[in-house]
Amino acid sequence: MTTSKQAIVVVVQEKYGTATRFIIRSDEYAVPRLVRELAEHFQTIAPEIGGSVEEVAGAIRSFGRSMGNQPLDALHMQDFGLNDLRTRHLDAWERQLAIAQSESGTDTPYRRAVHLFALLRRFDDDQPGTLHSGVSRRVRQQTRLSHIRRAPDADHTDEESRRIRSAAHRLVYDALCIAQEDPDYLPNSDVIAALHVLLSLATGEPPEVLRSLTIDDLKVTPEPGRRADWPRNPSWSQMTDLARADGIQSFAVTFTKRRAGVRYDEVFTRSDHRAAHQSLTRLLVLTAAARTQATDRSLWLTRKNLLTRQMDWRKAGLLSTWYRQHVKGAPISVPHKFSRLRKTKLRRESSADPVRYLKDGRRHTARTFFEHYTNSAVLRAEAGAIVVETIGSYFDIATGPTIITPEAEAMLRAGATVEVLDPGTATALISGQLEGALCACRNPLDSPHAPAGDLCPVAQMGHCFGCPNGIVTERHLPALLVVEEISSPQEAPNLALWKEVWEPIQRGTRAILPLFPADAIARAREHVDKVHIDLGLRNDLRGTNG
């Protein structure tokens, strides 16, 4: 059978330094024109879709086969193109995919529908008016197939991650010793895998994001003593020489999430990100000789069959073999995936400060976190303590000071009664008899911070704004603003001390401020310089106030 060049569409994808060809022969299908038009548009946009190339090719082939099984006019099948496509053709294909999914129990049919719909949407955007209006509307809706979610993989326990990290460090250290003696040293795949392990545990970045790093994604800042002679645009060899001399103060790394189309920068300093800084330094040093022998810009260069090339991460069982050969002790729990190393790092981040972690949103959304990351055995063991701590925080806020808003204060001055204050306390408050150092106090001799009958010892140290004895009115806002500022965690030299002593104060001030109108807070800011605070508070958080 003769085949025209027009009937063959080839898409070449280069991954990990190896080119893969995806060939679609439209003359093998009952609707060759339709398949060819889809394949040609796929060929046009392939450079933009990265890791989805193989799945889009599979979706086109599946749809082409489906069209051959549909009741089409045999006389017109050769000329059937995208402009002849109707929603019934997509619906029939979806029904076939649904049957296949129920039989196989896999997610492949769902993904094929998602990718073909996305390809058709892109075609409609690039060539508006070609698709039938019904098809244009349909592909902008979700497929009727359901995503089959398997149980997400858990992270590693602390004991497992310790043994994995230890094995990686041993391999890298031995490689560094050899590289010092042999300037032509080329790391093997085990050493490159060890560096990947260490960088995963240190940064928490996804495996595919780390593997796409090139030498062009790194920018380094020398130690202060070396900056005078450092060029504006250093070469990779100059960066390597600086790494060998251990003269890099910080790395600025540009990460790329290709599927999401997102680029972001992270800075890893020697002092604050020691593990990531050390891993990047060693990666530069150990691949230095390989970089002189290859034009590939990837960071992950290795020796294979006496040649220098980019590490191919698609090798089956790569991590399983690495664990078996290098990690001492009991076998590492399955599945063996680099993504589980990432989850170990993210679990530590979320455990350290769950509220900040979820508010940040840099890693992922809260929904993704709860669906894919909270199956960690370690995290679940800590969840009880986190819940109890959270309930305690809300209880502290609920049993805090009494807040008298400007409207409520006006009512009290007019002689009205309010539920939160008995008439005697209300009268004493309005007349100024209850004034303390920072706010009004129901009874300084009945403090929760001292035995009954003793004067409150913390009246000038911010605790009033979390104390049930406290009464806060608009005239106390200047003091509240000062305490809110100087009890901030950014002012604390010791975060452990801040969490134990000052977090309740900060939590109280932040709960009170939103209860007052913005204009009242603005007026209060004009008087913060008149507030007298016990210097012990400033000394503890800020150092000497002088």
Side-chain angles (χ1 to χ4, degrees):
M1 181 179 67
T2 60
T3 302
S4 68
K5 291 184 178 180
Q6 190 179 27
I8 301 176
V9 176
V10 180
V11 175
V12 180
Q13 180 191 34
E14 186 165 324
K15 193 169 186 179
Y16 306 135
T18 302
T20 303
R21 290 157 53 94
F22 297 93
I23 301 174
I24 299 177
R25 301 170 60 101
S26 59
D27 59 349
E28 294 179 347
Y29 298 88
V31 283
R33 179 186 164 194
L34 173 68
V35 173
R36 186 180 70 251
E37 289 175 349
L38 284 171
E40 288 174 346
H41 200 69
F42 166 46
Q43 187 181 49
T44 301
I45 68 169
E48 304 173 27
I49 60 178
S52 300
V53 167
E54 183 174 2
E55 291 185 305
V56 176
I60 294 173
R61 295 185 182 115
S62 172
F63 188 56
R65 290 192 296 269
S66 169
M67 291 297 294
N69 297 326
Q70 295 192 29
L72 302 176
D73 185 347
L75 296 176
H76 298 101
M77 291 177 74
Q78 290 291 317
D79 297 325
F80 189 99
L82 280 171
N83 59 317
D84 300 307
L85 195 61
R86 297 294 184 267
T87 55
R88 64 178 179 274
H89 302 132
L90 293 173
D91 292 343
W93 180 55
E94 278 189 304
R95 284 194 294 273
Q96 294 172 16
L97 290 177
I99 293 172
Q101 188 176 48
S102 66
E103 293 175 349
S104 67
T106 69
D107 217 30
T108 301
Y110 165 82
R111 299 185 67 83
R112 284 179 174 169
V114 168
H115 283 293
L116 187 79
F117 277 31
L119 180 63
L120 289 171
R121 284 197 301 272
R122 176 61 183 269
F123 181 85
D124 196 35
D125 291 338
D126 292 346
Q127 300 185 33
T130 302
L131 294 180
H132 184 269
S133 58
V135 173
S136 179
R137 288 192 299 271
R138 179 68 188 90
V139 298
R140 295 183 189 280
Q141 301 169 4
Q142 292 184 346
T143 174
R144 295 185 179 91
L145 275 73
S146 299
H147 182 17
I148 298 177
R149 288 194 179 277
R150 61 175 178 78
D153 298 321
D155 59 340
H156 290 287
T157 65
D158 287 338
E159 190 273 337
E160 278 193 336
S161 62
R162 180 191 59 78
R163 290 194 290 123
I164 293 170
R165 184 185 290 105
S166 177
H169 275 305
R170 285 196 302 272
L171 273 172
V172 171
Y173 177 78
D174 291 344
L176 286 170
C177 293
I178 298 173
Q180 286 178 350
E181 301 295 329
D182 181 7
D184 297 323
Y185 169 78
L186 298 178
N188 60 26
S189 58
D190 281 0
V191 173
I192 295 298
L195 288 164
H196 189 333
V197 165
L198 293 175
L199 207 53
S200 294
L201 289 170
T203 67
E205 296 298 332
E208 64 274 12
V209 171
L210 292 178
R211 294 167 187 174
S212 68
L213 286 175
T214 69
I215 193 71
D216 304 307
D217 294 321
L218 298 188
K219 290 182 175 58
V220 303
T221 301
E223 293 288 355
R226 302 173 184 267
R227 292 180 187 175
D229 300 325
W230 188 245
R232 182 182 296 272
N233 296 305
S235 64
W236 66 261
S237 60
Q238 289 172 315
M239 287 195 293
T240 301
D241 290 341
L242 191 65
R244 283 179 172 140
D246 197 23
I248 297 176
Q249 183 185 54
S250 64
F251 287 90
V253 185
T254 300
F255 294 110
T256 303
K257 289 185 176 179
R258 300 193 184 280
R259 282 187 294 181
V262 175
R263 290 171 66 86
Y264 52 97
D265 296 327
E266 291 294 326
V267 176
F268 303 104
T269 64
R270 183 193 299 274
S271 57
D272 296 331
H273 310 88
R274 180 175 175 273
H277 182 281
Q278 185 184 69
S279 299
L280 290 166
T281 300
R282 291 177 172 182
L283 182 56
L284 274 180
V285 171
L286 290 174
T287 58
R291 209 164 302 288
T292 64
Q293 302 177 21
T295 57
D296 198 313
R297 307 292 288 178
S298 171
L299 279 182
W300 308 96
L301 298 180
T302 184
R303 181 186 69 236
K304 184 175 182 181
N305 299 328
L306 302 179
L307 298 175
T308 299
R309 60 187 305 169
Q310 188 179 158
M311 176 78 166
D312 190 346
W313 301 102
R314 294 170 297 184
K315 182 180 178 181
L318 184 150
L319 195 57
S320 295
T321 303
W322 192 90
Y323 284 158
R324 187 171 60 254
Q325 292 179 347
H326 301 292
V327 180
K328 298 178 180 179
I332 299 298
S333 60
V334 293
H336 296 154
K337 295 181 178 180
F338 282 96
S339 58
R340 294 185 65 198
L341 300 171
R342 178 195 189 216
K343 287 189 172 185
T344 303
K345 167 68 173 177
L346 301 193
R347 182 253 297 168
R348 291 197 182 102
E349 289 182 0
S350 60
S351 296
D353 193 343
V355 174
R356 180 179 180 181
Y357 182 82
L358 293 175
K359 282 184 176 180
D360 184 2
R362 183 182 69 83
R363 296 291 197 185
H364 38 56
T365 64
R367 177 177 179 179
T368 301
F369 174 76
F370 284 110
E371 287 182 351
H372 294 274
Y373 292 85
T374 51
N375 64 329
S376 162
V378 180
L379 193 60
R380 285 177 175 175
E382 296 173 356
I386 293 173
V387 169
V388 169
E389 181 181 342
T390 303
I391 292 173
S393 299
Y394 280 103
F395 180 78
D396 291 340
I397 293 172
T399 59
T402 300
I403 312 302
I404 304 297
T405 63
E407 295 81 1
E409 187 174 356
M411 292 171 58
L412 290 174
R413 292 185 183 279
T417 59
V418 294
E419 294 183 3
V420 294
L421 293 179
D422 62 83
T425 302
T427 301
L429 174 69
I430 297 301
S431 64
Q433 299 176 40
L434 302 182
E435 288 303 295
L438 300 178
C439 69
C441 181
R442 293 174 185 268
N443 187 354
L445 297 177
D446 187 24
S447 169
H449 303 285
D454 288 356
L455 189 65
C456 178
V458 295
Q460 286 187 293
M461 297 177 62
H463 292 280
C464 299
F465 296 117
C467 177
N469 272 358
I471 304 175
V472 182
T473 68
E474 182 176 352
R475 64 180 176 272
H476 304 126
L477 287 180
L480 182 71
L481 289 169
V482 171
V483 172
E484 197 273 338
E485 176 199 352
I486 63 179
S487 64
S488 168
Q490 282 75 26
E491 302 290 344
N494 185 323
L495 284 181
L497 177 66
W498 175 85
K499 189 171 182 63
E500 179 183 353
V501 178
W502 304 111
E503 185 182 22
I505 296 175
Q506 176 80 177
R507 189 167 58 235
T509 59
R510 292 192 172 182
I512 295 170
L513 282 172
L515 301 178
F516 287 89
D519 58 341
I521 294 175
R523 289 193 297 271
R525 291 193 187 280
E526 299 174 1
H527 303 285
V528 294
D529 58 333
K530 301 175 183 177
V531 177
H532 298 286
I533 294 290
D534 186 340
L535 287 181
L537 179 66
R538 290 183 183 268
N539 286 341
D540 183 70
L541 290 175
R542 290 181 165 181
T544 303
N545 185 39

